[in-house]
Amino acid sequence: MTCIASYRDSFGNIFMGGDSIAFNEYTYITLNVPKVFIKSNMIFGFAGWLRMGQILQYDFDIPSHPQGMDDYTYLVSIFIDKLMSRYEDKKYAHVLDNAIIVPGTFLVGYNQKIYKIEDNFQILETNRNYEAAGCGEDFALGAFWSMEKKNMNPIKRVEKALQCASEFSLVKKPFVILKLHYESGLNE
């Protein structure tokens, strides 16, 4: 049970946050390792099985982006193909109705855009400057929507979205919020 919430400001900086809880059937624990992280020139946040995020963070090499190829083409072809292969190599992915599936979804911030990668590896890019994933995503999206016309700090927006998810779903503090600067490599 998780909520990952991400917001892109008017400069192209991407802020992403997540809760720190792992659940089993009846109990939860607070994790020491965040569900959001920056790797190379991308920011990630994962919702679902922890193993999905562990492979993504520690055992996956982000492929190079060929010059002249647009971001979406790169992500839906080169990036996702390599990631699918890595999950298969690690015996994490499985096939369901002739599609490769992983148990969980994650957000990726890349080149001033936020993408959502579903459990069947389809990549969604919406026309919003915010996105969410996990059991609290609907609440986080509603919170972001309610803040759209307000002049607020981006970190506060992400924090409020996570607080809303925490109020109404199985999401709990502490929250970890990271920033990917619009110029790749300048991270906070």
Side-chain angles (χ1 to χ4, degrees):
M1 303 298 166
T2 295
C3 186
I4 303 297
S6 187
Y7 179 79
R8 182 189 66 234
D9 71 13
S10 59
F11 300 107
N13 300 306
I14 298 174
F15 300 82
M16 191 175 293
D19 70 309
S20 298
I21 300 299
F23 281 85
N24 67 17
E25 198 170 338
Y26 302 107
T27 62
Y28 69 88
I29 60 169
T30 303
L31 302 170
N32 285 331
V33 178
K35 299 175 191 176
V36 293
F37 60 92
I38 294 172
K39 185 172 185 174
S40 186
N41 57 349
M42 295 181 168
I43 187 168
F44 297 89
F46 61 92
W49 293 96
L50 296 176
R51 185 67 180 140
M52 177 186 66
Q54 292 166 344
I55 292 169
L56 185 61
Q57 184 172 6
Y58 300 108
D59 200 9
F60 173 66
D61 295 322
I62 297 172
S64 4
H65 185 151
Q67 193 171 16
M69 180 180 281
D70 69 86
D71 294 345
Y72 195 73
T73 302
Y74 160 73
L75 288 171
V76 300
S77 60
I78 295 169
F79 175 85
I80 211 67
D81 285 351
K82 186 165 184 187
L83 183 59
M84 287 169 61
S85 294
R86 192 66 193 143
Y87 281 139
E88 285 181 295
D89 291 346
K90 296 307 247 174
K91 309 285 189 259
Y92 182 70
H94 65 279
V95 176
L96 178 66
D97 296 329
N98 294 319
I100 297 172
I101 304 290
V102 295
T105 60
F106 60 96
L107 300 183
V108 178
Y110 180 57
N111 279 346
Q112 303 178 34
K113 294 181 182 171
I114 303 167
Y115 301 90
K116 184 175 186 179
I117 301 179
E118 299 276 334
D119 62 354
N120 62 0
F121 294 101
Q122 66 184 352
I123 299 177
L124 309 174
E125 177 190 2
T126 66
N127 60 356
R128 305 185 289 250
N129 60 345
Y130 55 86
E131 188 55 79
C135 74
E137 75 180 79
D138 292 338
F139 303 109
L141 291 172
F144 277 131
W145 178 86
S146 73
M147 293 181 278
E148 266 192 306
K149 295 190 177 14
K150 294 183 179 177
N151 185 14
M152 291 178 69
N153 176 298
I155 291 173
K156 286 289 183 200
R157 287 177 189 266
V158 173
E159 185 177 36
K160 288 285 188 193
L162 291 170
Q163 286 173 343
C164 184
S166 176
E167 183 68 26
F168 298 103
S169 67
L170 298 174
V171 173
K172 298 208 178 288
K173 289 182 177 183
F175 302 136
V176 175
I177 301 172
L178 302 177
K179 174 186 176 183
L180 180 69
H181 194 274
Y182 72 96
E183 293 175 354
S184 298
L186 301 175
N187 307 316
E188 297 173 10

